[in-house]
Amino acid sequence: MSHRWACLIGQPVAHSLSPTLHNAAFDALGMDAHYEARNVSPEDLAKAVAAFRQPDCLGANVTAPHKQAVLALMDDLSDEVVALGALNTIVNQSGRLIGANTDARGLARWMRQAGIDPAGRPALVLGAGGAARATVWALADLGASSIRVLNRTPHHAESLVGALRPRLANPALSWGPLEEAAAQSSTKWAVIINATSLGHLGETPVVHPGCYSRECVAIELAYNPPETGFMVAARRAGARAENGLGMLLLQAALAFERWTGQAAPIAAYAAALTERVAGR
């Protein structure tokens, strides 16, 4: 097979770590392939996606603002895409484009590997955007007994719960306003996941220290900065705190597996990432 390629489409894409990760993986496996980030405007989306049908294209990643708009351009959609209403990965299968979402599976796989087990226990999700949807799906997959979704605009949390409830078999889903997290809680949360965009903005959702315990893990889905105010506060309150780098690596690995049929070299990803983050 001649030189192959994959890419990321979005607007903006300059901040993305995906080219660093996937090019390191291609190098580590000696594959004749490259990955690049392409800034694509909404009006150029259909033309950009049509190029993914070329025989030398493995597929692509999709980021904001195209994760919903691109659905209509696919030939087939995976179950999680149908449930989440968004995709982040496109796989080119002999000219047919399959839409996949590796965020939810990546988070679930990382939590398993990191020994974070919400099975049979309640979980709290802060935020109600695409990251929060993927988080609820992953927590349901891991067997959380109940999932409560809190958001600054409560009706967004309500519509997330309404959309996912019919598609998830087990957990009890509920919703409420974000300020609820600032109050003392009698619930023994297994995990509290910050899926708001506040971390990227250098802000922190207020969580009452009483919401945390030694048995609780606080997960910040943002990974830059690697240590956020949310994580610091959780640790201070006695919980374990983790950032989203593990999820980033595993959702990238799942995309790589779908494109190439090979297991992703996680060590190469981690090394490339460490170098890139250190070089900032």
Side-chain angles (χ1 to χ4, degrees), residues 117-152:
D117 182 13
R121 297 167 64 204
L124 185 64
V125 177
L126 311 178
R133 279 184 173 229
T135 299
V136 170
W137 195 98
L139 289 167
D141 194 45
L142 292 168
S145 58
S146 68
I147 304 167
R148 188 154 180 81
V149 180
L150 305 181
N151 196 51
R152 277 176 294 188

Side-chain angles (χ1 to χ4, degrees), residues 235-254:
R235 248 183 231 129
R236 204 174 282 142
R240 171 183 170 188
E242 301 282 353
N243 69 20
L245 275 177
M247 175 190 175
L248 174 78
L249 292 184
L250 285 162
Q251 63 88 8
L254 285 165

Side-chain angles (χ1 to χ4, degrees), residues 8-9 17 56 75 82 100 113-114 116 139 146 148 152 183 196 214 235-236 241 251 260 264 268 274 276 279:
L8 168 73
I9 56 168
L17 295 170
D56 56 351
D75 299 307
V82 175
Q113 290 184 5
I116 302 168
L139 289 167
S146 68
R148 188 154 180 81
R152 277 176 294 188
T196 68
R214 297 234 166 268
R235 248 183 231 129
R236 204 174 282 142
Q251 63 88 8
T260 65
T274 306
R276 163 88 186 257

Side-chain angles (χ1 to χ4, degrees), residues 59-259:
N61 290 126
V62 181
T63 188
H66 306 314
K67 285 180 150 184
Q68 275 94 22
V70 78
L71 295 176
L73 302 171
M74 296 296 102
D75 299 307
D76 202 2
L77 301 172
S78 71
D79 293 348
E80 5 357 346
V81 171
V82 175
L84 298 170
L87 63 77
N88 70 346
T89 301
I90 298 172
V91 184
N92 178 13
Q93 288 186 349
S94 313
R96 290 184 76 247
L97 299 183
I98 316 300
N101 188 313
T102 64
D103 282 335
R105 283 186 195 271
L107 178 58
R109 188 187 277 195
W110 169 72
M111 286 174 69
R112 280 192 190 98
Q113 290 184 5
I116 302 168
D117 182 13
R121 297 167 64 204
L124 185 64
V125 177
L126 311 178
R133 279 184 173 229
T135 299
V136 170
W137 195 98
L139 289 167
D141 194 45
L142 292 168
S145 58
S146 68
I147 304 167
R148 188 154 180 81
V149 180
L150 305 181
N151 196 51
R152 277 176 294 188
T153 313
H155 78 252
H156 289 165
E158 183 182 11
S159 60
L160 181 157
V161 167
L164 287 181
R165 192 177 267 148
R167 301 189 178 277
L168 300 176
N170 333 22
L173 298 183
S174 62
W175 56 275
L178 187 60
E179 51 265 29
E180 196 182 285
Q184 175 73 37
S185 171
S186 57
T187 308
K188 294 277 172 260
W189 302 109
V191 288
I192 298 178
I193 301 184
N194 182 19
T196 68
S197 53
L198 293 170
H200 295 292
L201 308 170
E203 297 171 36
T204 302
V206 180
V207 179
H208 193 285
C211 292
Y212 292 114
S213 67
R214 297 234 166 268
E215 287 70 55
C216 179
V217 185
I219 302 171
E220 168 73 77
L221 291 190
Y223 48 82
N224 190 24
E227 176 98 336
T228 64
F230 171 78
M231 292 165 64
V232 172
R235 248 183 231 129
R236 204 174 282 142
R240 171 183 170 188
E242 301 282 353
N243 69 20
L245 275 177
M247 175 190 175
L248 174 78
L249 292 184
L250 285 162
Q251 63 88 8
L254 285 165
F256 189 89
E257 286 170 21
R258 297 291 295 270
W259 295 331

